[in-house]
Amino acid sequence: REAGSRLATNVAEERPGALFSLVRTSTPGQALLAAVPSGADLPRRVREAVAPLRPSDVALDLAVLLPKLDDISATAQAADRTETYVVTDLRRRDWVARGGEPNAAFVAWLAARDPETQHVQVIDVGSRDQENVAVIDVRCADRVAIAGVPMNVVVDVKNFGRDESSPAELTVEVDGKNRSAMPVPSIAAGETARIAFVETFHVAGWHGVRAALPNDRYAVDDARSFAVEVRAASKVLVFDGAIGEAPEDAETFYLAAALEGGDGATFGIDVRVHPDHELATVPVEELARADLLLLANVARVTPEVVARIEDFARQGGGIAFWLGDQ
């Protein structure tokens, strides 16, 4: 905005009567000012036009912008020379192709200029501050999140700057309420630091976690959030190959007791014990809700059961075999 205002003042003083057009690169088809005669009033008009402008995340598309500039110049048929000023932060992706070569549209447009009557000047207003540290990922590091069971959360912070970053503080917000802060060490240029912590959700359902750094010159990547579905319990299906006459005679009696916990311990595991022959008949819906199958001293399985177990594993389920005398 300041560069545009200075430019308008210079034009008003040095080129009275010139036609002045002002275009925002994100909307080149709608000029903010179109062929306005240069005079004492021009600086004020430019200041008012640029006052509400704010930087956005939109990339500069030179292939769209440059033909629009030619259209504007063509409308002023009386003009015998054209001065084009591009006020830019010189972001690399706007001016350089992926392979490192200059933007082809800009090179072609420059080549078509008449050096006697068409001049181009690029005004660099980019910040010299190259520091940019971003939160690039926030996630649950556990396979499932269970109510009442501590959940491991991982936050990845990357330094996109050219120099080592300064130590910072990561703020964590849970469900829009709870807040905690943890230190982020200095990070070498291009490297990533991993911040890990534990969070316990006591109520099943959807919950949100937001991790944020102090805002830097590029604030849009300073925070990231994720939603996690916290389940009431992790379901484990146990298939017992030797049920026995009394409950304590079962192969899985002590195993089920250990998984379920007791004396106030909360493991978040819902254990369902079935005789081994129900491997072939347990409803598909119950299998789909399970996280783990435990086969305890199961003598043999039919090809149909093998197919069911393999399909369960393909869907991400866990399987454990506890061998016995059978």
PDB file of all heavy atoms in Angstrom, residues 122-160:
ATOM      1  N   VAL A 122       9.885  -3.756 -11.562  1.00  0.00           N
ATOM      2  CA  VAL A 122       9.392  -4.586 -10.465  1.00  0.00           C
ATOM      3  C   VAL A 122       9.809  -3.934  -9.152  1.00  0.00           C
ATOM      4  O   VAL A 122      10.996  -3.663  -8.933  1.00  0.00           O
ATOM      5  CB  VAL A 122       9.948  -6.022 -10.557  1.00  0.00           C
ATOM      6  CG1 VAL A 122       9.518  -6.840  -9.349  1.00  0.00           C
ATOM      7  CG2 VAL A 122       9.453  -6.691 -11.845  1.00  0.00           C
ATOM      8  N   ILE A 123       8.832  -3.672  -8.288  1.00  0.00           N
ATOM      9  CA  ILE A 123       9.093  -3.046  -6.991  1.00  0.00           C
ATOM     10  C   ILE A 123       8.961  -4.113  -5.917  1.00  0.00           C
ATOM     11  O   ILE A 123       7.876  -4.647  -5.674  1.00  0.00           O
ATOM     12  CB  ILE A 123       8.100  -1.894  -6.738  1.00  0.00           C
ATOM     13  CG1 ILE A 123       8.216  -0.840  -7.854  1.00  0.00           C
ATOM     14  CG2 ILE A 123       8.350  -1.259  -5.375  1.00  0.00           C
ATOM     15  CD1 ILE A 123       7.204   0.278  -7.741  1.00  0.00           C
ATOM     16  N   ASP A 124      10.073  -4.442  -5.290  1.00  0.00           N
ATOM     17  CA  ASP A 124      10.111  -5.516  -4.295  1.00  0.00           C
ATOM     18  C   ASP A 124       9.729  -4.969  -2.927  1.00  0.00           C
ATOM     19  O   ASP A 124      10.421  -4.119  -2.372  1.00  0.00           O
ATOM     20  CB  ASP A 124      11.521  -6.118  -4.263  1.00  0.00           C
ATOM     21  CG  ASP A 124      11.684  -7.165  -3.175  1.00  0.00           C
ATOM     22  OD1 ASP A 124      10.645  -7.652  -2.673  1.00  0.00           O
ATOM     23  OD2 ASP A 124      12.832  -7.492  -2.826  1.00  0.00           O
ATOM     24  N   VAL A 125       8.620  -5.452  -2.390  1.00  0.00           N
ATOM     25  CA  VAL A 125       8.195  -5.050  -1.045  1.00  0.00           C
ATOM     26  C   VAL A 125       8.157  -6.253  -0.103  1.00  0.00           C
ATOM     27  O   VAL A 125       7.516  -6.223   0.949  1.00  0.00           O
ATOM     28  CB  VAL A 125       6.802  -4.366  -1.086  1.00  0.00           C
ATOM     29  CG1 VAL A 125       6.866  -3.056  -1.857  1.00  0.00           C
ATOM     30  CG2 VAL A 125       5.763  -5.295  -1.701  1.00  0.00           C
ATOM     31  N   GLY A 126       8.863  -7.322  -0.488  1.00  0.00           N
ATOM     32  CA  GLY A 126       8.866  -8.527   0.335  1.00  0.00           C
ATOM     33  C   GLY A 126       9.624  -8.331   1.632  1.00  0.00           C
ATOM     34  O   GLY A 126      10.557  -7.535   1.723  1.00  0.00           O
ATOM     35  N   SER A 127       9.214  -9.060   2.659  1.00  0.00           N
ATOM     36  CA  SER A 127       9.879  -8.962   3.956  1.00  0.00           C
ATOM     37  C   SER A 127      11.248  -9.615   3.890  1.00  0.00           C
ATOM     38  O   SER A 127      11.452 -10.635   3.240  1.00  0.00           O
ATOM     39  CB  SER A 127       9.026  -9.659   5.022  1.00  0.00           C
ATOM     40  OG  SER A 127       9.743  -9.758   6.232  1.00  0.00           O
ATOM     41  N   ARG A 128      12.193  -9.014   4.587  1.00  0.00           N
ATOM     42  CA  ARG A 128      13.527  -9.617   4.666  1.00  0.00           C
ATOM     43  C   ARG A 128      13.549 -10.741   5.706  1.00  0.00           C
ATOM     44  O   ARG A 128      14.491 -11.502   5.794  1.00  0.00           O
ATOM     45  CB  ARG A 128      14.568  -8.556   5.036  1.00  0.00           C
ATOM     46  CG  ARG A 128      14.601  -7.384   4.059  1.00  0.00           C
ATOM     47  CD  ARG A 128      15.437  -7.673   2.833  1.00  0.00           C
ATOM     48  NE  ARG A 128      14.837  -8.590   1.888  1.00  0.00           N
ATOM     49  CZ  ARG A 128      13.927  -8.224   0.980  1.00  0.00           C
ATOM     50  NH1 ARG A 128      13.515  -6.985   0.905  1.00  0.00           N
ATOM     51  NH2 ARG A 128      13.434  -9.095   0.143  1.00  0.00           N
ATOM     52  N   ASP A 129      12.508 -10.806   6.502  1.00  0.00           N
ATOM     53  CA  ASP A 129      12.413 -11.841   7.526  1.00  0.00           C
ATOM     54  C   ASP A 129      12.047 -13.167   6.857  1.00  0.00           C
ATOM     55  O   ASP A 129      10.956 -13.313   6.314  1.00  0.00           O
ATOM     56  CB  ASP A 129      11.349 -11.446   8.554  1.00  0.00           C
ATOM     57  CG  ASP A 129      11.093 -12.545   9.570  1.00  0.00           C
ATOM     58  OD1 ASP A 129      11.929 -13.460   9.673  1.00  0.00           O
ATOM     59  OD2 ASP A 129      10.054 -12.493  10.249  1.00  0.00           O
ATOM     60  N   GLN A 130      12.949 -14.122   6.904  1.00  0.00           N
ATOM     61  CA  GLN A 130      12.724 -15.411   6.239  1.00  0.00           C
ATOM     62  C   GLN A 130      12.263 -16.502   7.208  1.00  0.00           C
ATOM     63  O   GLN A 130      12.119 -17.644   6.820  1.00  0.00           O
ATOM     64  CB  GLN A 130      14.017 -15.856   5.547  1.00  0.00           C
ATOM     65  CG  GLN A 130      14.477 -14.924   4.442  1.00  0.00           C
ATOM     66  CD  GLN A 130      13.491 -14.868   3.296  1.00  0.00           C
ATOM     67  OE1 GLN A 130      12.899 -15.868   2.937  1.00  0.00           O
ATOM     68  NE2 GLN A 130      13.310 -13.685   2.725  1.00  0.00           N
ATOM     69  N   GLU A 131      12.075 -16.164   8.479  1.00  0.00           N
ATOM     70  CA  GLU A 131      11.728 -17.200   9.455  1.00  0.00           C
ATOM     71  C   GLU A 131      10.272 -17.625   9.295  1.00  0.00           C
ATOM     72  O   GLU A 131       9.371 -16.795   9.209  1.00  0.00           O
ATOM     73  CB  GLU A 131      11.972 -16.683  10.878  1.00  0.00           C
ATOM     74  CG  GLU A 131      11.721 -17.752  11.943  1.00  0.00           C
ATOM     75  CD  GLU A 131      12.241 -17.353  13.312  1.00  0.00           C
ATOM     76  OE1 GLU A 131      13.394 -16.888  13.391  1.00  0.00           O
ATOM     77  OE2 GLU A 131      11.500 -17.521  14.294  1.00  0.00           O
ATOM     78  N   ASN A 132      10.049 -18.921   9.225  1.00  0.00           N
ATOM     79  CA  ASN A 132       8.698 -19.462   9.142  1.00  0.00           C
ATOM     80  C   ASN A 132       8.694 -20.862   9.736  1.00  0.00           C
ATOM     81  O   ASN A 132       9.230 -21.798   9.149  1.00  0.00           O
ATOM     82  CB  ASN A 132       8.194 -19.511   7.697  1.00  0.00           C
ATOM     83  CG  ASN A 132       6.784 -20.098   7.620  1.00  0.00           C
ATOM     84  OD1 ASN A 132       6.007 -19.960   8.548  1.00  0.00           O
ATOM     85  ND2 ASN A 132       6.475 -20.769   6.528  1.00  0.00           N
ATOM     86  N   VAL A 133       8.118 -20.992  10.917  1.00  0.00           N
ATOM     87  CA  VAL A 133       7.985 -22.285  11.590  1.00  0.00           C
ATOM     88  C   VAL A 133       6.508 -22.661  11.566  1.00  0.00           C
ATOM     89  O   VAL A 133       5.648 -21.831  11.858  1.00  0.00           O
ATOM     90  CB  VAL A 133       8.505 -22.219  13.034  1.00  0.00           C
ATOM     91  CG1 VAL A 133       8.357 -23.573  13.719  1.00  0.00           C
ATOM     92  CG2 VAL A 133       9.968 -21.785  13.049  1.00  0.00           C
ATOM     93  N   ALA A 134       6.214 -23.900  11.176  1.00  0.00           N
ATOM     94  CA  ALA A 134       4.825 -24.302  10.959  1.00  0.00           C
ATOM     95  C   ALA A 134       4.497 -25.591  11.698  1.00  0.00           C
ATOM     96  O   ALA A 134       5.349 -26.466  11.866  1.00  0.00           O
ATOM     97  CB  ALA A 134       4.563 -24.493   9.466  1.00  0.00           C
ATOM     98  N   VAL A 135       3.241 -25.696  12.116  1.00  0.00           N
ATOM     99  CA  VAL A 135       2.705 -26.964  12.622  1.00  0.00           C
ATOM    100  C   VAL A 135       2.226 -27.744  11.405  1.00  0.00           C
ATOM    101  O   VAL A 135       1.283 -27.338  10.731  1.00  0.00           O
ATOM    102  CB  VAL A 135       1.543 -26.730  13.604  1.00  0.00           C
ATOM    103  CG1 VAL A 135       0.977 -28.068  14.081  1.00  0.00           C
ATOM    104  CG2 VAL A 135       1.986 -25.889  14.782  1.00  0.00           C
ATOM    105  N   ILE A 136       2.894 -28.843  11.080  1.00  0.00           N
ATOM    106  CA  ILE A 136       2.556 -29.571   9.857  1.00  0.00           C
ATOM    107  C   ILE A 136       1.705 -30.808  10.111  1.00  0.00           C
ATOM    108  O   ILE A 136       1.138 -31.365   9.180  1.00  0.00           O
ATOM    109  CB  ILE A 136       3.832 -29.972   9.083  1.00  0.00           C
ATOM    110  CG1 ILE A 136       4.726 -30.895   9.922  1.00  0.00           C
ATOM    111  CG2 ILE A 136       4.601 -28.737   8.640  1.00  0.00           C
ATOM    112  CD1 ILE A 136       5.900 -31.463   9.149  1.00  0.00           C
ATOM    113  N   ASP A 137       1.590 -31.226  11.382  1.00  0.00           N
ATOM    114  CA  ASP A 137       0.756 -32.412  11.634  1.00  0.00           C
ATOM    115  C   ASP A 137       0.409 -32.489  13.115  1.00  0.00           C
ATOM    116  O   ASP A 137       1.234 -32.170  13.977  1.00  0.00           O
ATOM    117  CB  ASP A 137       1.488 -33.692  11.206  1.00  0.00           C
ATOM    118  CG  ASP A 137       0.556 -34.895  11.134  1.00  0.00           C
ATOM    119  OD1 ASP A 137      -0.669 -34.680  11.060  1.00  0.00           O
ATOM    120  OD2 ASP A 137       1.047 -36.037  11.149  1.00  0.00           O
ATOM    121  N   VAL A 138      -0.825 -32.875  13.401  1.00  0.00           N
ATOM    122  CA  VAL A 138      -1.278 -33.197  14.757  1.00  0.00           C
ATOM    123  C   VAL A 138      -2.077 -34.477  14.632  1.00  0.00           C
ATOM    124  O   VAL A 138      -3.008 -34.553  13.826  1.00  0.00           O
ATOM    125  CB  VAL A 138      -2.159 -32.082  15.360  1.00  0.00           C
ATOM    126  CG1 VAL A 138      -2.482 -32.401  16.811  1.00  0.00           C
ATOM    127  CG2 VAL A 138      -1.489 -30.734  15.255  1.00  0.00           C
ATOM    128  N   ARG A 139      -1.745 -35.480  15.418  1.00  0.00           N
ATOM    129  CA  ARG A 139      -2.441 -36.762  15.236  1.00  0.00           C
ATOM    130  C   ARG A 139      -2.393 -37.596  16.510  1.00  0.00           C
ATOM    131  O   ARG A 139      -1.555 -37.375  17.387  1.00  0.00           O
ATOM    132  CB  ARG A 139      -1.796 -37.569  14.102  1.00  0.00           C
ATOM    133  CG  ARG A 139      -0.362 -37.978  14.362  1.00  0.00           C
ATOM    134  CD  ARG A 139       0.277 -38.612  13.142  1.00  0.00           C
ATOM    135  NE  ARG A 139       1.642 -39.056  13.401  1.00  0.00           N
ATOM    136  CZ  ARG A 139       2.708 -38.281  13.395  1.00  0.00           C
ATOM    137  NH1 ARG A 139       2.567 -36.990  13.144  1.00  0.00           N
ATOM    138  NH2 ARG A 139       3.906 -38.764  13.641  1.00  0.00           N
ATOM    139  N   CYS A 140      -3.313 -38.550  16.570  1.00  0.00           N
ATOM    140  CA  CYS A 140      -3.299 -39.569  17.621  1.00  0.00           C
ATOM    141  C   CYS A 140      -2.318 -40.651  17.207  1.00  0.00           C
ATOM    142  O   CYS A 140      -2.401 -41.181  16.097  1.00  0.00           O
ATOM    143  CB  CYS A 140      -4.700 -40.145  17.807  1.00  0.00           C
ATOM    144  SG  CYS A 140      -4.768 -41.590  18.895  1.00  0.00           S
ATOM    145  N   ALA A 141      -1.367 -40.955  18.082  1.00  0.00           N
ATOM    146  CA  ALA A 141      -0.345 -41.945  17.749  1.00  0.00           C
ATOM    147  C   ALA A 141      -0.791 -43.369  18.074  1.00  0.00           C
ATOM    148  O   ALA A 141      -0.084 -44.326  17.748  1.00  0.00           O
ATOM    149  CB  ALA A 141       0.950 -41.627  18.495  1.00  0.00           C
ATOM    150  N   ASP A 142      -1.950 -43.524  18.689  1.00  0.00           N
ATOM    151  CA  ASP A 142      -2.461 -44.852  19.024  1.00  0.00           C
ATOM    152  C   ASP A 142      -3.435 -45.318  17.949  1.00  0.00           C
ATOM    153  O   ASP A 142      -4.010 -44.511  17.220  1.00  0.00           O
ATOM    154  CB  ASP A 142      -3.167 -44.817  20.380  1.00  0.00           C
ATOM    155  CG  ASP A 142      -2.240 -44.378  21.490  1.00  0.00           C
ATOM    156  OD1 ASP A 142      -1.056 -44.753  21.452  1.00  0.00           O
ATOM    157  OD2 ASP A 142      -2.698 -43.643  22.392  1.00  0.00           O
ATOM    158  N   ARG A 143      -3.626 -46.635  17.895  1.00  0.00           N
ATOM    159  CA  ARG A 143      -4.511 -47.182  16.874  1.00  0.00           C
ATOM    160  C   ARG A 143      -5.958 -46.774  17.115  1.00  0.00           C
ATOM    161  O   ARG A 143      -6.697 -46.470  16.181  1.00  0.00           O
ATOM    162  CB  ARG A 143      -4.381 -48.703  16.853  1.00  0.00           C
ATOM    163  CG  ARG A 143      -5.207 -49.370  15.760  1.00  0.00           C
ATOM    164  CD  ARG A 143      -4.925 -50.853  15.688  1.00  0.00           C
ATOM    165  NE  ARG A 143      -5.772 -51.475  14.697  1.00  0.00           N
ATOM    166  CZ  ARG A 143      -6.990 -51.945  14.941  1.00  0.00           C
ATOM    167  NH1 ARG A 143      -7.489 -51.832  16.153  1.00  0.00           N
ATOM    168  NH2 ARG A 143      -7.695 -52.506  13.990  1.00  0.00           N
ATOM    169  N   VAL A 144      -6.378 -46.750  18.369  1.00  0.00           N
ATOM    170  CA  VAL A 144      -7.723 -46.319  18.732  1.00  0.00           C
ATOM    171  C   VAL A 144      -7.633 -45.430  19.956  1.00  0.00           C
ATOM    172  O   VAL A 144      -6.675 -45.504  20.732  1.00  0.00           O
ATOM    173  CB  VAL A 144      -8.657 -47.521  19.019  1.00  0.00           C
ATOM    174  CG1 VAL A 144      -8.932 -48.305  17.750  1.00  0.00           C
ATOM    175  CG2 VAL A 144      -8.077 -48.410  20.103  1.00  0.00           C
ATOM    176  N   ALA A 145      -8.637 -44.577  20.121  1.00  0.00           N
ATOM    177  CA  ALA A 145      -8.728 -43.715  21.298  1.00  0.00           C
ATOM    178  C   ALA A 145      -9.885 -44.205  22.141  1.00  0.00           C
ATOM    179  O   ALA A 145     -11.014 -44.344  21.655  1.00  0.00           O
ATOM    180  CB  ALA A 145      -8.940 -42.265  20.874  1.00  0.00           C
ATOM    181  N   ILE A 146      -9.609 -44.480  23.431  1.00  0.00           N
ATOM    182  CA  ILE A 146     -10.593 -45.081  24.318  1.00  0.00           C
ATOM    183  C   ILE A 146     -10.831 -44.154  25.508  1.00  0.00           C
ATOM    184  O   ILE A 146      -9.891 -43.595  26.065  1.00  0.00           O
ATOM    185  CB  ILE A 146     -10.101 -46.453  24.821  1.00  0.00           C
ATOM    186  CG1 ILE A 146      -9.780 -47.374  23.624  1.00  0.00           C
ATOM    187  CG2 ILE A 146     -11.138 -47.091  25.717  1.00  0.00           C
ATOM    188  CD1 ILE A 146     -10.941 -47.655  22.721  1.00  0.00           C
ATOM    189  N   ALA A 147     -12.099 -44.006  25.885  1.00  0.00           N
ATOM    190  CA  ALA A 147     -12.450 -43.161  27.017  1.00  0.00           C
ATOM    191  C   ALA A 147     -11.796 -43.675  28.293  1.00  0.00           C
ATOM    192  O   ALA A 147     -11.825 -44.873  28.580  1.00  0.00           O
ATOM    193  CB  ALA A 147     -13.970 -43.104  27.184  1.00  0.00           C
ATOM    194  N   GLY A 148     -11.186 -42.752  29.033  1.00  0.00           N
ATOM    195  CA  GLY A 148     -10.554 -43.110  30.299  1.00  0.00           C
ATOM    196  C   GLY A 148      -9.165 -43.671  30.179  1.00  0.00           C
ATOM    197  O   GLY A 148      -8.512 -43.930  31.193  1.00  0.00           O
ATOM    198  N   VAL A 149      -8.687 -43.879  28.947  1.00  0.00           N
ATOM    199  CA  VAL A 149      -7.357 -44.443  28.724  1.00  0.00           C
ATOM    200  C   VAL A 149      -6.456 -43.356  28.128  1.00  0.00           C
ATOM    201  O   VAL A 149      -6.844 -42.703  27.154  1.00  0.00           O
ATOM    202  CB  VAL A 149      -7.416 -45.662  27.785  1.00  0.00           C
ATOM    203  CG1 VAL A 149      -6.025 -46.206  27.514  1.00  0.00           C
ATOM    204  CG2 VAL A 149      -8.311 -46.732  28.389  1.00  0.00           C
ATOM    205  N   PRO A 150      -5.276 -43.126  28.693  1.00  0.00           N
ATOM    206  CA  PRO A 150      -4.387 -42.091  28.142  1.00  0.00           C
ATOM    207  C   PRO A 150      -4.115 -42.311  26.651  1.00  0.00           C
ATOM    208  O   PRO A 150      -3.841 -43.436  26.218  1.00  0.00           O
ATOM    209  CB  PRO A 150      -3.106 -42.240  28.978  1.00  0.00           C
ATOM    210  CG  PRO A 150      -3.583 -42.833  30.271  1.00  0.00           C
ATOM    211  CD  PRO A 150      -4.705 -43.760  29.897  1.00  0.00           C
ATOM    212  N   MET A 151      -4.222 -41.243  25.870  1.00  0.00           N
ATOM    213  CA  MET A 151      -4.002 -41.287  24.426  1.00  0.00           C
ATOM    214  C   MET A 151      -2.745 -40.491  24.089  1.00  0.00           C
ATOM    215  O   MET A 151      -2.540 -39.376  24.561  1.00  0.00           O
ATOM    216  CB  MET A 151      -5.200 -40.682  23.694  1.00  0.00           C
ATOM    217  CG  MET A 151      -5.071 -40.658  22.176  1.00  0.00           C
ATOM    218  SD  MET A 151      -6.460 -39.787  21.376  1.00  0.00           S
ATOM    219  CE  MET A 151      -5.990 -38.080  21.673  1.00  0.00           C
ATOM    220  N   ASN A 152      -1.880 -41.077  23.273  1.00  0.00           N
ATOM    221  CA  ASN A 152      -0.653 -40.417  22.866  1.00  0.00           C
ATOM    222  C   ASN A 152      -0.913 -39.518  21.664  1.00  0.00           C
ATOM    223  O   ASN A 152      -1.434 -39.968  20.643  1.00  0.00           O
ATOM    224  CB  ASN A 152       0.420 -41.455  22.516  1.00  0.00           C
ATOM    225  CG  ASN A 152       0.881 -42.226  23.742  1.00  0.00           C
ATOM    226  OD1 ASN A 152       1.516 -41.675  24.628  1.00  0.00           O
ATOM    227  ND2 ASN A 152       0.543 -43.496  23.802  1.00  0.00           N
ATOM    228  N   VAL A 153      -0.558 -38.246  21.801  1.00  0.00           N
ATOM    229  CA  VAL A 153      -0.735 -37.262  20.738  1.00  0.00           C
ATOM    230  C   VAL A 153       0.646 -36.797  20.275  1.00  0.00           C
ATOM    231  O   VAL A 153       1.539 -36.560  21.087  1.00  0.00           O
ATOM    232  CB  VAL A 153      -1.558 -36.052  21.215  1.00  0.00           C
ATOM    233  CG1 VAL A 153      -1.735 -35.032  20.088  1.00  0.00           C
ATOM    234  CG2 VAL A 153      -2.917 -36.511  21.729  1.00  0.00           C
ATOM    235  N   VAL A 154       0.821 -36.671  18.967  1.00  0.00           N
ATOM    236  CA  VAL A 154       2.089 -36.236  18.384  1.00  0.00           C
ATOM    237  C   VAL A 154       1.843 -34.978  17.557  1.00  0.00           C
ATOM    238  O   VAL A 154       0.898 -34.925  16.767  1.00  0.00           O
ATOM    239  CB  VAL A 154       2.697 -37.341  17.497  1.00  0.00           C
ATOM    240  CG1 VAL A 154       3.899 -36.808  16.715  1.00  0.00           C
ATOM    241  CG2 VAL A 154       3.115 -38.523  18.353  1.00  0.00           C
ATOM    242  N   VAL A 155       2.702 -33.971  17.740  1.00  0.00           N
ATOM    243  CA  VAL A 155       2.656 -32.737  16.958  1.00  0.00           C
ATOM    244  C   VAL A 155       4.002 -32.577  16.260  1.00  0.00           C
ATOM    245  O   VAL A 155       5.051 -32.620  16.908  1.00  0.00           O
ATOM    246  CB  VAL A 155       2.384 -31.509  17.851  1.00  0.00           C
ATOM    247  CG1 VAL A 155       2.312 -30.232  16.998  1.00  0.00           C
ATOM    248  CG2 VAL A 155       1.102 -31.692  18.649  1.00  0.00           C
ATOM    249  N   ASP A 156       3.982 -32.419  14.946  1.00  0.00           N
ATOM    250  CA  ASP A 156       5.203 -32.197  14.170  1.00  0.00           C
ATOM    251  C   ASP A 156       5.313 -30.719  13.821  1.00  0.00           C
ATOM    252  O   ASP A 156       4.372 -30.131  13.263  1.00  0.00           O
ATOM    253  CB  ASP A 156       5.199 -33.035  12.892  1.00  0.00           C
ATOM    254  CG  ASP A 156       5.420 -34.513  13.174  1.00  0.00           C
ATOM    255  OD1 ASP A 156       5.998 -34.827  14.224  1.00  0.00           O
ATOM    256  OD2 ASP A 156       4.995 -35.349  12.358  1.00  0.00           O
ATOM    257  N   VAL A 157       6.459 -30.133  14.148  1.00  0.00           N
ATOM    258  CA  VAL A 157       6.722 -28.715  13.883  1.00  0.00           C
ATOM    259  C   VAL A 157       7.938 -28.629  12.963  1.00  0.00           C
ATOM    260  O   VAL A 157       8.997 -29.173  13.282  1.00  0.00           O
ATOM    261  CB  VAL A 157       6.987 -27.939  15.186  1.00  0.00           C
ATOM    262  CG1 VAL A 157       7.296 -26.472  14.891  1.00  0.00           C
ATOM    263  CG2 VAL A 157       5.790 -28.055  16.126  1.00  0.00           C
ATOM    264  N   LYS A 158       7.783 -27.958  11.818  1.00  0.00           N
ATOM    265  CA  LYS A 158       8.866 -27.875  10.836  1.00  0.00           C
ATOM    266  C   LYS A 158       9.330 -26.438  10.649  1.00  0.00           C
ATOM    267  O   LYS A 158       8.526 -25.509  10.632  1.00  0.00           O
ATOM    268  CB  LYS A 158       8.417 -28.440   9.484  1.00  0.00           C
ATOM    269  CG  LYS A 158       9.533 -28.469   8.431  1.00  0.00           C
ATOM    270  CD  LYS A 158       9.116 -29.207   7.173  1.00  0.00           C
ATOM    271  CE  LYS A 158      10.253 -29.248   6.161  1.00  0.00           C
ATOM    272  NZ  LYS A 158       9.888 -30.003   4.944  1.00  0.00           N
ATOM    273  N   ASN A 159      10.647 -26.292  10.496  1.00  0.00           N
ATOM    274  CA  ASN A 159      11.242 -24.987  10.224  1.00  0.00           C
ATOM    275  C   ASN A 159      11.428 -24.837   8.713  1.00  0.00           C
ATOM    276  O   ASN A 159      12.294 -25.471   8.120  1.00  0.00           O
ATOM    277  CB  ASN A 159      12.583 -24.850  10.952  1.00  0.00           C
ATOM    278  CG  ASN A 159      13.266 -23.526  10.663  1.00  0.00           C
ATOM    279  OD1 ASN A 159      12.663 -22.609  10.105  1.00  0.00           O
ATOM    280  ND2 ASN A 159      14.526 -23.428  11.049  1.00  0.00           N
ATOM    281  N   PHE A 160      10.606 -23.982   8.083  1.00  0.00           N
ATOM    282  CA  PHE A 160      10.711 -23.730   6.649  1.00  0.00           C
ATOM    283  C   PHE A 160      11.665 -22.577   6.338  1.00  0.00           C
ATOM    284  O   PHE A 160      11.860 -22.237   5.174  1.00  0.00           O
ATOM    285  CB  PHE A 160       9.329 -23.421   6.066  1.00  0.00           C
ATOM    286  CG  PHE A 160       8.433 -24.620   5.960  1.00  0.00           C
ATOM    287  CD1 PHE A 160       7.493 -24.893   6.943  1.00  0.00           C
ATOM    288  CD2 PHE A 160       8.525 -25.494   4.889  1.00  0.00           C
ATOM    289  CE1 PHE A 160       6.658 -25.996   6.853  1.00  0.00           C
ATOM    290  CE2 PHE A 160       7.699 -26.598   4.779  1.00  0.00           C
ATOM    291  CZ  PHE A 160       6.760 -26.849   5.763  1.00  0.00           C
TER     292      PHE A 160
END
